[in-house]
Every structure is written in structure tokens, then in C-alpha cells.
Amino acid sequence: MKLLNIQQIREWDAFTVRHEPVSSPDLMERAGRACTDYLIRHFSREYAFLVFCGLGNNGGDGLVIARLLAGYGYRVDVVVLKHANRRSDDFSLNLKRLENVPEVPVHEVVSGDQLAALPGRDKNAEMQEPDSGSRMVIIDALLGSGISKPLEGLLAETVNYINNSGRQVISIDVPTGLPADIEQWNAAIYKNLVTAHTTLTFQVPKTSFLFPDAGRFCGTLSVLDIGLHTDFLPGLSSDMEYIDKAFIDPLIKPRHKFDHKGNFGHALLVAGSRGKNGAAILAARACLRSGAGLLSVGVPQHSYPILQTAVPEAMVLPDNSDDYPVFSFGPGKYTAVGVGAGIGTEAKTLEGYKRFLQALRKPVVIDADGLNLLAGLLKTEPGFRIPENSVLTPHVKEFSRLAGEAGNSYERFHHLREFAATHQAHVLLKGAHSCLAAPDGTCYFNSTGNPAMAKGGSGDVLTGMITALLAQGYNPRDAALLGMYFHGKAGDSAARKRPASAVIASDIIEEISIEVSTA
Ligand SMILES: NC(=O)C1=CN([C@@H]2O[C@H](COP(=O)(O)OP(=O)(O)OC[C@H]3O[C@@H](n4cnc5c(N)ncnc54)[C@H](OP(=O)(O)O)[C@@H]3O)[C@@H](O)[C@H]2O)[C@@H](O)CC1
Ligand SMILES: Nc1ncnc2c1ncn2[C@@H]1O[C@H](COP(=O)(O)OP(=O)(O)O)[C@@H](O)[C@H]1O
Ligand SMILES: [K+]
């Protein structure tokens, strides 16, 4: 899915109105309907809703949601915040429609002192007397993608009220006060924003949601299809993609009846050192679960029995050293290589690693200490070149060793693009929305994964997965995208079986399933 800026989303909206055709109020109805469907799936009628509406179209969405929820028998109160004189036509129309639903009280707020009189203000009383009222959820439909400046006055006070309410907050389209385009975001200026538990956004994620500094205000993100006209998309230019099932499924190559292991490549992983054999084991298991035909693992000698025992499906290639790898073997006959997880940064490792990379003519994934050593090589040896067909998988700290520190996540994104282009490498910056930068400047943001994966060893699993995909003949871009997407998906499956804090990297491996899914 292409990622668009707000101007493009507005044009898409207008295109849909003209070409479907659909009236603008009907499109708003559709948006409100999609949110309501989500809400009734997630909340029983024991919950009540307090819907905060601004005077623009985001507020209009809130009014539709309130009307529809009431139709399903939920208790709903609406707060209309009179923060300006103007109101949008579709807002006015929906306020009129709500007049025909007498069971939904509408509270007009013109000044901050009225906030204290709103329903559900005393959460503690409700907790002590469970029968006295339903659990209340706040719907934030104050402002959406239309914000033009930082919030002040009544809007800022209301945002503050919402954030301190102790209630679950669900933002419609955009958390109020957050600029939707990352170019507009500036943490020093935008200080009054809703911090949502969930954001229900229309059609596409907004770019600011994907960067940690700004995206942290969104909570869990849910992208709702409101049926904007797909004919609009081919004519659009965007060098940012959001990777979802529709993008990924066509990339997957099927297996055929007469296939044999020789068709799926021979991967080589060079990983682990004394005290870090776990990295080699995790990468090796993940590699095998991701479809490599054969796997050899190059390890220092003390690791030999450990690997043979822990991963019987893999062959083990003992190095000419006891504690850490020195790359006494060459890149040889292998189809693809994964290098770096847990190898350490000893001088002898660096020496062997440099020779190894210079001789390498196969696709390679470089991770962890492999990246730290590479950062040193790029600094001390100006002529040193990253091998062709490389996929680099740094986390933020590793990336800053390669490309320098950045002041914020958007600046880091520019460094990422620049680095991928300069070195003609695919660089996958890991995080909540991992981002793959391709040498041609296109950036691909991941949609899968969750905080259960924030634990040592998750990255080693990703290395093993991408190595396997390269070994099977996927080009570096597709191997990195499939690895990134299915790694997150495996993490999501693992997190459905256990609390997030209890998920470990081995659980992610158990859930790896690289296939076209029906769900
Ligand atoms: N295609 C789609 O995806 C669809 C989108 N839809 C919905 O439309 C929403 C966008 O609606 P929108 O353009 O009316 O803008 P919205 O966010 O309601 O606010 C604008 C109002 O707020 C004002 N204002 C702004 N900043 C301010 C500030 N700091 N302080 C004070 N005032 C400020 C601004 O005033 P102005 O800047 O013009 O003076 C104007 O009056 C979108 O998020 C989604 O929910 C769906 O209904 C259908 C399909
Ligand atoms: N909050 C999160 N949401 C989604 N994915 C996450 C989150 N935290 C970590 N991950 C994923 O887990 C992996 C962690 O990798 P890394 O930091 O290299 O860990 P390690 O080196 O300890 O194995 C990355 O692929 C990252 O995208
Ligand atoms: K909002």
C-alpha cells in the first residue's frame, strides 16, 4: 500500500466522490460505519461512550459514530467543542441528524470550566460502585488530518482533560493535535496532543504514525478500509510503501511437487562466539524454518558440539579458532550467507571478516557485530565496499555506528535513505515499524510485529529468516521484505499465545510460517 501525504489523501477523497460516485456525507457515513463496526466488535454493551467532537469533518465522523452506536443500544454522550466559529457542512448535517436521536445527549462546551461537569468525570466512584454506571470509553473526534497549527486554549485544555481522564481513549483517524504528515512534525512545537490507546485511521496509515517520536501518540493502530476508489492509486507517485498482506502475497514462490532440497539453496550462517552460541542456534533454527534447502553454520571450535546437538538439521563448519570466529573458511559454494549475530569484535575476527567480505560474491545478510565491524571498516578504510546484494539489518544503535547520530527519528530516516543509496545496499532499520530502504530510494515500512518482540534474540531470528530467503533465490529486496513481514507476523502469533512479557525468541521461531495465508 502506498503511503500518502494529507494533500494526496484529500485528492483521493474527492476523486472517490466524483468517480464512484458517492456523496460526501455518504463517505463520512462509511467512515463512521467502519469505526462503529470496530467498536461493537471490541466492546460489549457494558461500556458507554463519551464522544468528543470538533467542528470539522473529524467531528462529523464522531457524530456519525455516536448515532450508529446508539442504534446498537449503547449508552452514548456527545461533547461538541465550540473551538471556532466555522463548522464543516457534513458536521452540521450530522448534528441535525443527531437531533432525531433523543437518547444521545449533546453537551456543548465553550469554556474549559464546563469540562468538569461532563459525564463520567469521576472514574473512582464508578470503580467503587460498579452498578452505578458503565465503564466509559472516550472517542476522540476533535480534530483529524485538518490541523493547521498547534493546539491552544479550549482545545489544549480538552486534550489535557482527555489524557488525564484515566479512560481508554480511541482516536478517530488521527490523535487530535498530531500533524498527520511527518514533515510537519516538530516535538518542540506540538505539545498538546491526545495520547490514544488505539487509533482507527482511514484507508492508509498517516506517515507520522510510523516514526517513534510522533507515532507513540497513536497506541495500537488499526487501518480501516472505507472503500476509497482504487483507480486513483496508479497515477500517484510515492516512494514510501506500507507492507501488508496484499503487497506480500504475490512475492511468495510456491513449492512444486518434484522440488528437492537442491532447489532451495545452501545457506551459510557465521554466528556465535563463547557466551553467545544462542545467537547461532536461534539464527540457524529460524533459517531452517524459513525454507533453506541446506544449512551450514560456521562456528568456533568450542561451539561445534553445542550446534550439532541444538540444531541436528544443520551441518557445522568448525573454524580455526576456539572462542570466536576467524573465518578460516571462505564464502565457498554457498548460495547465500548470513553473518554477524554474536560473533564479537575481536581483532582476529575483524581480520578474517574483512577477507571474507572482500571475497564474497553471494547475497549476504549482515547483522549485529557484523555491522559494528563493518562500521569500523568503512571509517578506517575509505575504499572498502559493502558487498553487492547485501541486506544490512541494524537496530537504531547499530545504524548510528554506521551512519552517525541523528537528532530525531525523521532525520534518521533521511540518513537511512542516503546510506542505502550511497552504498547500493538494502538497509533494514529495525523497530516497531521496521523500515527497509532500497538503493533506489524506495522505503518500505512494516505493518506486523509487536512489543513482545523487544527481547534479546529476536534480531537473530530475523537474520536467519532473510538468509534462508536469499538462499532460495529471492532477490535482496524481496528477501528482506518477506523476512521483515513474516518475522513480525510470527511475533504476533507468539503474542497471542502468551503475555507479551513472556514471549521469547524461540517462540517466534515456532510460529514462522512463510506462506500465502487465508486470514
Ligand atoms: N478521505 C478520508 O480519509 C476521509 C476523511 N474524513 C474525516 O475528515 C477529517 C478531516 O477533516 P477536516 O479537513 O474538516 O479537518 P478536521 O481535522 O476535522 O479539523 C479542521 C477544523 O479544525 C480547525 N483547526 C485545525 N487546526 C486547528 C488548531 N490547531 N486550532 C484550532 N482549530 C484548528 C480548522 O480550522 P482552519 O485551520 O481551517 O482555520 C477546521 O475548522 C479526517 O481526519 C477524517 O476524520 C471522513 O469523514 C471521510 C473520508
Ligand atoms: N515494539 C516492537 N514492535 C514491533 N517489533 C519489534 C518491537 N521491538 C522489537 N521488535 C522487533 O524485534 C527485533 C529486535 O531485533 P534486535 O534489536 O536486533 O534484537 P537482538 O539483537 O537482541 O536480537 C527487530 O526485528 C524488531 O523490529
Ligand atoms: K481525532
Side-chain angles (χ1 to χ4, degrees):
M1 174 191 302
K2 280 178 185 164
L3 285 165
L4 307 177
N5 61 34
I6 288 306
Q7 183 53 33
Q8 291 171 313
I9 295 173
R10 278 197 197 117
E11 286 164 17
W12 194 4
D13 199 358
F15 182 93
T16 305
V17 168
R18 275 198 315 277
H19 290 83
E20 187 172 323
V22 57
S23 71
S24 168
D26 282 352
L27 190 56
M28 182 174 279
E29 191 73 14
R30 230 192 260 171
R33 161 70 56 197
C35 295
T36 308
D37 287 347
Y38 176 97
L39 294 171
I40 62 179
R41 271 201 314 276
H42 288 80
F43 296 96
S44 70
R45 282 184 191 73
E46 280 173 31
Y47 288 85
F49 293 92
L50 185 61
V51 186
F52 282 85
C53 300
L55 303 174
N57 288 334
N58 194 249
D61 294 336
L63 297 174
V64 174
I65 294 167
R67 171 166 42 80
L68 296 177
L69 282 174
Y72 284 102
Y74 287 87
R75 216 185 81 200
V76 187
D77 280 78
V78 165
V79 181
V80 169
L81 203 73
K82 301 231 162 153
H83 58 88
N85 294 324
R86 272 187 305 139
R87 50 195 64 200
S88 77
D89 293 345
D90 293 345
F91 169 90
S92 300
L93 176 77
N94 278 295
L95 192 58
K96 255 206 143 24
R97 285 183 180 169
L98 203 59
E99 281 168 12
N100 300 323
V101 189
E103 59 272 30
V104 178
V106 177
H107 311 264
E108 290 198 346
V109 168
V110 293
S111 75
D113 46 15
Q114 289 173 280
L115 293 168
L118 292 176
R121 68 196 173 283
D122 192 354
K123 185 160 188 268
N124 292 335
E126 188 182 305
M127 301 299 259
Q128 282 153 18
E129 300 169 53
D131 294 337
S132 69
S134 311
R135 284 171 280 180
M136 190 165 263
V137 174
I138 288 183
I139 303 295
D140 156 35
L142 286 170
L143 300 178
S145 58
I147 74 152
S148 47
K149 54 185 185 284
L151 308 187
E152 294 172 354
L154 180 58
L155 273 164
E157 269 181 80
T158 309
V159 161
N160 194 33
Y161 174 86
I162 290 175
N163 287 342
N164 291 313
S165 65
R167 305 285 178 183
Q168 192 171 159
V169 179
I170 301 193
S171 285
I172 304 305
D173 202 25
V174 182
T176 291
L178 178 69
D181 288 336
I182 187 65
E183 286 85 355
Q184 309 302 319
W185 168 248
N186 181 336
I189 296 177
Y190 288 92
K191 288 188 170 149
N192 295 308
L193 331 158
V194 166
T195 302
H197 295 92
T198 303
T199 296
L200 307 181
T201 203
F202 300 134
Q203 210 69 35
V204 281
K206 316 304 179 255
T207 52
S208 66
F209 297 178
L210 303 173
F211 293 83
D213 311 349
R216 68 197 173 90
F217 295 99
C218 296
T220 304
L221 184 63
S222 203
V223 183
L224 305 182
D225 187 348
I226 59 165
L228 295 186
H229 205 302
T230 47
D231 285 0
F232 179 71
L233 291 173
L236 265 189
S237 86
S238 170
D239 52 11
M240 286 163 83
E241 290 273 355
Y242 188 62
I243 299 311
D244 55 7
K245 181 173 154 50
F247 187 100
I248 283 293
D249 279 354
L251 304 184
I252 300 173
K253 299 180 193 169
R255 287 196 170 213
H256 302 293
K257 177 173 169 175
F258 292 104
D259 276 337
H260 54 85
K261 60 181 181 286
N263 295 122
F264 301 112
H266 188 162
L268 170 67
L269 279 168
V270 187
S273 58
R274 192 172 286 280
K276 291 184 181 159
N277 287 300
I281 295 167
L282 292 168
R285 287 186 178 154
C287 183
L288 289 160
R289 284 252 186 252
S290 303
L294 286 167
L295 170 64
S296 292
V297 193
V299 290
Q301 289 186 6
H302 84 276
S303 315
Y304 186 82
I306 300 172
L307 261 293
Q308 286 275 257
T309 313
V311 197
E313 299 87 351
M315 291 169 277
V316 182
L317 190 61
D319 209 336
N320 204 3
S321 61
D322 192 38
D323 288 345
Y324 44 81
V326 295
F327 296 83
S328 53
F329 41 76
K333 59 190 175 182
Y334 305 100
T335 330
V337 174
V339 62
I343 61 172
T345 53
E346 293 288 333
K348 282 239 159 23
T349 303
L350 174 62
E351 213 175 281
Y353 179 59
K354 180 179 153 189
R355 257 187 291 107
F356 183 84
L357 287 189
Q358 282 169 332
L360 190 60
R361 300 287 176 270
K362 298 289 159 57
V364 60
V365 185
I366 305 178
D367 184 33
D369 282 331
L371 294 166
N372 297 330
L373 292 172
L374 181 65
L377 284 170
L378 293 174
K379 277 193 190 94
T380 53
E381 307 199 12
F384 190 85
R385 291 183 62 84
I386 297 176
E388 247 179 76
N389 294 316
S390 291
V391 177
L392 276 52
T393 56
H395 56 54
V396 167
K397 206 155 198 178
E398 286 155 356
F399 185 66
S400 65
R401 289 184 192 120
L402 284 165
E405 295 288 344
N408 57 50
S409 52
Y410 191 44
E411 193 179 308
R412 188 175 304 114
F413 171 70
H414 286 299
H415 289 183
L416 179 69
R417 256 191 177 155
E418 220 174 277
F419 188 91
T422 308
H423 295 276
Q424 289 293 294
H426 285 79
V427 189
L428 195 170
L429 181 64
K430 293 182 285 195
H433 288 285
S434 294
C435 176
L436 177 75
D440 70 0
T442 313
C443 288
Y444 303 86
F445 287 84
N446 195 23
S447 60
T448 58
N450 66 82
M453 304 173 78
K455 203 171 263 184
S458 303
D460 307 329
V461 174
L462 179 68
T463 302
M465 293 180 77
I466 301 176
T467 307
L469 290 156
L470 288 174
Q472 288 165 82
Y474 288 99
N475 64 47
R477 186 201 80 140
D478 291 358
L481 290 177
L482 288 164
M484 171 169 96
Y485 178 82
F486 283 106
H487 178 248
K489 214 158 178 267
D492 290 342
S493 301
R496 278 194 287 274
K497 296 194 172 160
R498 289 186 177 77
S501 58
V503 171
I504 58 173
S506 297
D507 300 331
I508 302 175
I509 297 172
E510 293 305 310
E511 300 298 328
I512 292 173
S513 171
I514 300 180
E515 59 164 8
V516 175
S517 71
T518 45

